[in-house]
Amino acid sequence: MRTVAIVQARAGSSRLPNKVMMDLCGHPVLWHIHDRVRRSKWVDDFVVATSVMPENDGIEAFALQNGIHVFRGSEENVLERFYLAAKEAAAEIVIRLTGDNALVCPEIIDEGAAYFEQTQTLDYLCYREGLPLGLSVEVIGFHALERAYQEADDAECLEHVTPYLYRNPGQFHCYRYPCIGEDYSRIRWTVDTQEDYNLVRNIYESLYTEGGCFGYQEALQIYLAHPQWAGLNSSVVQKKILYSGNHLQDKQNK
């Protein structure tokens, strides 16, 4: 089945404007996200989904200059933008990422995509619990995404793409894969503030080599070897959205 990774990216972040174009070891964050995702064995295509706002012209120009597919759509109705990007890319399975995911790991993408396809019953998968914030991936069947696009009308569902799926368990088969080994979900590796960026930059400067791709375990080892790094973004409060019942899911970049 055709698997397409779609990264939501825009310049207008309220806490860290134009973060997807900030430098990490000589390349923008968005470049690193694409470079890491393209190493996945399951991903057939990669699309940057940004909005039509003029402030995102630089994102489109960068993507085109680097041979990256780009789709521009609604600023506020992110579900529509995401769905139309997936439709244009002829996706059957969609990997949802955001511009915060500077440390996205191709091995984790592959594990999640393989599990999703092998079950043959899932509409939505969050893979997986216990990972540092910014590493888990959402895997979505295109037909479920299309149905969400056609039916969702709640403002939060339109803004955050996947809530309509997991808030309707009677209509969609959704699963959050449980933690494997030690729970590191307390660790914040998303890039949403300057403090987050400072931490991720430390990891990159310690591990990145041109042409290489360090993995989750390498990043974890260097992070744990520098306990002072945890304090760099420990005061950052992550925004939450309701998952189902009393469960919460982290908000990330639109």
Side-chain angles (χ1 to χ4, degrees):
M1 300 184 74
R2 180 170 167 79
T3 301
V4 178
I6 301 178
V7 58
Q8 296 164 213
R10 63 190 182 102
S13 169
S14 59
R15 296 209 281 188
L16 191 61
N18 211 28
K19 58 191 174 185
V20 297
M21 299 304 294
M22 294 178 73
D23 181 81
L24 288 173
C25 295
H27 299 288
V29 169
L30 185 57
W31 184 94
H32 284 289
I33 294 173
H34 174 256
D35 184 62
R36 296 174 72 80
V37 173
R38 71 178 180 84
R39 299 168 189 270
S40 162
K41 297 179 178 66
W42 283 79
V43 172
D44 298 303
D45 199 0
F46 180 95
V47 179
V48 174
T50 193
S51 89
V52 295
M53 297 293 288
E55 63 194 20
N56 296 310
D57 289 352
I59 292 175
E60 179 181 32
F62 171 80
L64 295 176
Q65 288 167 6
N66 286 273
I68 302 171
H69 295 150
V70 61
F71 178 88
R72 299 188 72 166
S74 172
E75 171 79 4
E76 298 302 328
N77 190 341
V78 189
L79 173 57
E80 177 186 81
R81 188 204 316 166
F82 194 84
Y83 162 71
L84 292 176
K87 183 177 180 180
E88 183 174 273
E92 296 175 279
I93 296 175
V94 181
I95 307 294
R96 177 178 178 257
L97 304 170
T98 73
D100 306 286
N101 301 134
L103 290 166
V104 60
C105 181
E107 289 80 8
I108 291 171
I109 290 176
D110 287 346
E111 290 173 12
Y115 183 82
F116 184 93
E117 188 163 335
Q118 289 165 10
T119 61
Q120 299 185 344
T121 61
L122 290 176
D123 294 308
Y124 168 88
L125 170 68
C126 180
Y127 190 89
R128 57 182 162 83
E129 302 282 7
L131 290 171
L133 179 63
L135 258 70
S136 64
V137 297
E138 291 179 296
V139 188
I140 312 158
F142 177 78
H143 291 299
L145 177 65
E146 184 171 56
R147 186 174 169 190
Y149 163 70
Q150 293 169 345
E151 298 177 2
D153 56 9
D154 174 82
E156 197 163 54
C157 292
L158 299 181
E159 181 182 358
H160 298 290
V161 180
T162 54
Y164 185 79
L165 300 176
Y166 52 69
R167 288 179 180 175
N168 292 280
Q171 301 179 53
F172 302 100
H173 187 186
C174 301
Y175 185 58
R176 294 178 70 87
Y177 199 97
C179 180
I180 298 173
E182 188 168 349
D183 187 341
Y184 291 109
S185 58
R186 68 185 184 279
I187 297 175
R188 180 182 176 86
W189 282 356
T190 189
V191 179
D192 194 35
T193 68
Q194 183 65 45
E195 294 83 356
D196 295 331
Y197 169 75
N198 293 341
L199 170 59
V200 171
R201 182 177 58 192
N202 281 353
I203 295 174
Y204 264 86
E205 290 178 349
S206 298
L207 296 174
Y208 180 72
T209 57
E210 197 69 34
C213 181
F214 59 87
Y216 163 52
Q217 289 299 330
E218 294 171 273
L220 182 62
Q221 288 173 13
I222 198 73
Y223 176 87
L224 295 177
H226 294 80
Q228 70 275 18
W229 288 359
L232 292 175
N233 64 351
S234 59
S235 63
V236 178
V237 177
Q238 180 67 20
K239 299 174 184 178
K240 302 284 186 178
I241 60 175
L242 185 66
Y243 175 64
S244 63
N246 294 320
H247 298 288
L248 296 174
Q249 177 161 311
D250 300 300
K251 283 187 178 181
Q252 290 187 292
N253 182 42
K254 296 188 289 184

